[in-house]
Amino acid sequence: MSATGREVILGVGAGIAAYKSADLVRRLQDRGYHVRVVPTPASLNFVGASTWEALTGRPVRTQVWEDVHEGAHISLAHDSDFFLIAPATADLIARIATGRADDLLTNLVLASDAPKMVIPAMHSHMWNDPATKANVETLRSRGFVVLEPDTGRLAGNDSGPGRFPETNRIIEEFDSMTGHKRDLVGRRVLVTAGGTREAIDPVRYIGNRSSGKQGLALARAAAMRGADVHLIAANMDTSAIHGITVSNVESALDMREVLKDQFASCDVLIMCAAVADARPTQKLNEKIKKASFTSIELETNPDLLAEISTTKTNQVIIGFAAETSDHIESARSKMQAKGLDVIYVNDVSGGAIFGKDVTHGTILLRNGEDIALKEVSKDALAEILLDHAIRQLG
Ligand code: C5P
């Protein structure tokens, strides 16, 4: 089990339908899954390792003999939450059914106890062959979900059962296997993330330690639950984000513009970004010389959250706070002052949370309830906060 609960191993067998699994990778990523592709060696004849590496941003291995010191067949199996094998050829199904472990993929299948779904694709004669039928029965009796292939055009001019199913059907079946909630379908979720930068001159800025990880976890979790997500990202790497609308901004004033534009049409605003409280009064076009760089005159930034919440209609608004002392009292007064439905207060004494995958703090609700969270992953916190947003949406 991974820290996120969303690690998927996509096993790719040596069928021509392998190229269709490239789309599957993207669709899984759109839903917030972290995908690792493990092709069989023969499947590389159809789609090469570079395609999978470029799509997933992760290295591709096919054998247990690569990077032996890492014990990949055990560590990857241990870290996987779900297995999707698509396409599964007659040979791959036979190897899995007989418990073979002659490449990395079949080793992982044996070593992992994650739920597994198999998407067969082969010629009708091979699909209908008693040997394949028996192997499929064996897999089903061991708890594998084996999809019935579609009937239609096959490789060459033949037609019949054995066709690789449409991506939508695979995704639907995968969702029902994973049991992940789809309770934000039709909702618009606006998330701010990262930390704003306030330019001093063309080189220097005032910034903060926010990494954007929590905001990204929220955006991904909302997308995975079916929401139409818009992420306003302040100074963070957004290159690996798919299926989410992203506006990249630098300063608090830039963020304010996008927020004003998007707020009216959203159902939930999650203001996770660390917005600089002040900006240099003068934005210079020339770099300040070292000798005269002795002080910076500042002016206060608008409080974006306090400002936008005055225009609230039916939106649920979630804010964040980072405190080093008097967490609860400060967060309660921020909740009032900024018109929030929920606030999460991080205890950042010692800078313990910035850039990490785990957090600890307290969720405060408008009804006066406090929920203390000890050491949870940022992904888990995202799910909990979305649960509260949904409850408030009714
Ligand atoms: O007042 P404080 O900065 O602790 O409040 C944090 C919350 O307010 C966060 O949700 C942050 O995104 C938001 N904020 C804002 N505009 C500011 C400062 C903070 O919207 N200028």
Side-chain angles (χ1 to χ4, degrees), residues 135-152:
N135 289 332
V136 167
E137 269 323 297
T138 303
L139 293 192
R140 286 183 173 147
S141 71
R142 291 182 189 149
F144 287 70
V145 177
V146 184
L147 242 62
E148 284 297 313
D150 277 359
T151 297

Side-chain angles (χ1 to χ4, degrees), residues 167-197:
T167 312
N168 280 346
R169 190 177 143 221
I170 299 175
I171 291 287
E172 264 171 37
E173 298 279 356
F174 188 73
D175 277 343
S176 71
M177 179 179 83
T178 61
H180 277 131
K181 295 180 222 171
R182 300 283 294 161
D183 46 8
L184 280 170
V185 174
R187 299 291 195 175
R188 283 204 70 226
V189 176
L190 185 58
V191 181
T192 68
T196 64
R197 288 181 187 171

Side-chain angles (χ1 to χ4, degrees), residues 192 252 255 259 270-278 300-308 318-323 334 338 340 343-344:
T192 68
M255 182 171 277
L259 203 54
I270 308 179
M271 193 75 195
C272 191
V275 183
D277 292 314
T300 309
N301 265 332
D303 189 310
L304 309 186
L305 202 40
E307 195 176 75
I308 208 82
I318 302 182
F320 274 71
E323 305 289 349
K334 275 180 195 172
K338 302 187 189 218
L340 307 179
I343 189 163
Y344 176 70

Side-chain angles (χ1 to χ4, degrees), residues 249-325:
V249 297
E250 185 170 311
S251 66
L253 295 184
D254 296 343
M255 182 171 277
R256 184 198 214 184
E257 287 312 302
V258 189
L259 203 54
K260 273 187 178 167
D261 220 42
Q262 297 298 322
F263 180 68
S265 60
C266 80
D267 298 291
V268 180
L269 166 66
I270 308 179
M271 193 75 195
C272 191
V275 183
D277 292 314
R279 62 179 184 276
T281 312
Q282 274 193 310
K283 187 177 166 186
L284 301 170
N285 294 326
E286 295 276 320
K287 186 181 171 192
I288 305 168
K289 298 286 179 214
K290 194 182 288 193
S292 49
F293 193 39
T294 49
S295 66
I296 309 166
E297 195 184 324
L298 299 176
E299 64 187 328
T300 309
N301 265 332
D303 189 310
L304 309 186
L305 202 40
E307 195 176 75
I308 208 82
S309 71
T310 60
T311 67
K312 166 176 159 144
T313 49
N314 296 314
Q315 292 88 347
V316 171
I317 306 184
I318 302 182
F320 274 71
E323 305 289 349
T324 50
S325 59

Side-chain angles (χ1 to χ4, degrees), residues 1 3 31 69 99 102 128 137 163 178 201 268 296 320 346 368:
M1 182 83 183
R31 298 173 117 60
H69 63 287
D102 46 7
N128 286 324
E137 269 323 297
R163 189 178 155 80
T178 61
D201 64 21
V268 180
I296 309 166
F320 274 71
N346 278 302

